[in-house]
Amino acid sequence: MEKSRVSVAYNNHASGYNCAQSVVCAYCDLLGMDEKTAFRAAEGYGLGIAGMHETCGSVCAMIMLAGLKNSDGNLEAPKTKLNTFALGREMADKFKEKNSSIMCNKLRGTDGVTDRLRSCRGCVVDCAQIVEDTLFLGQFEPYDGPMD
């Protein structure tokens, strides 16, 4: 069993990666993508998609990873699209169960401190744990680091 990469996602965020980059870059190598490409691909999803405080960037990252893991990559006749939608929805639902929303503006609150539901780094941790529990079940040891 491999050591959990939740701490990698956590440390990515602490190093300046946005929330989406933090999660995608922690697992991209397992899904055939180099870190620089993953970093570039996820850049626009931070702070609730392009800083608009819509869907949490960490949630977007989980769904991006679900596509990388599940897609058949068949450009002419894709057959995995609906299954990937269901997988992404399952992951988003797990996050919503834990945090009551997937919307950045609700999670962060009005000022990012006093009325927030979850910190950005906490969202990164939650999403990384969901990725490990859903996309890589049984591959990683349980995470026992900071939860922010």
Side-chain angles (χ1 to χ4, degrees), residues 53-56 95 101-108 117:
H53 298 105
E54 297 291 336
T55 304
C56 170
F95 182 88
S101 182
I102 63 167
M103 301 303 292
C104 179
N105 61 350
K106 291 190 186 326
L107 293 161
R108 288 178 49 87
L117 296 173

Side-chain angles (χ1 to χ4, degrees), residues 36-83:
K36 186 172 184 178
T37 301
F39 185 89
R40 292 173 65 213
E43 189 164 271
Y45 293 93
L47 205 56
I49 305 177
M52 295 185 296
H53 298 105
E54 297 291 336
T55 304
C56 170
S58 299
V59 172
C60 294
M62 288 191 306
I63 295 168
M64 184 183 297
L65 291 168
L68 287 170
K69 173 88 174 179
N70 194 64
S71 177
D72 62 11
N74 185 336
L75 300 178
E76 283 80 38
K79 293 179 178 60
T80 54
K81 193 172 18 180
L82 296 178
N83 288 336

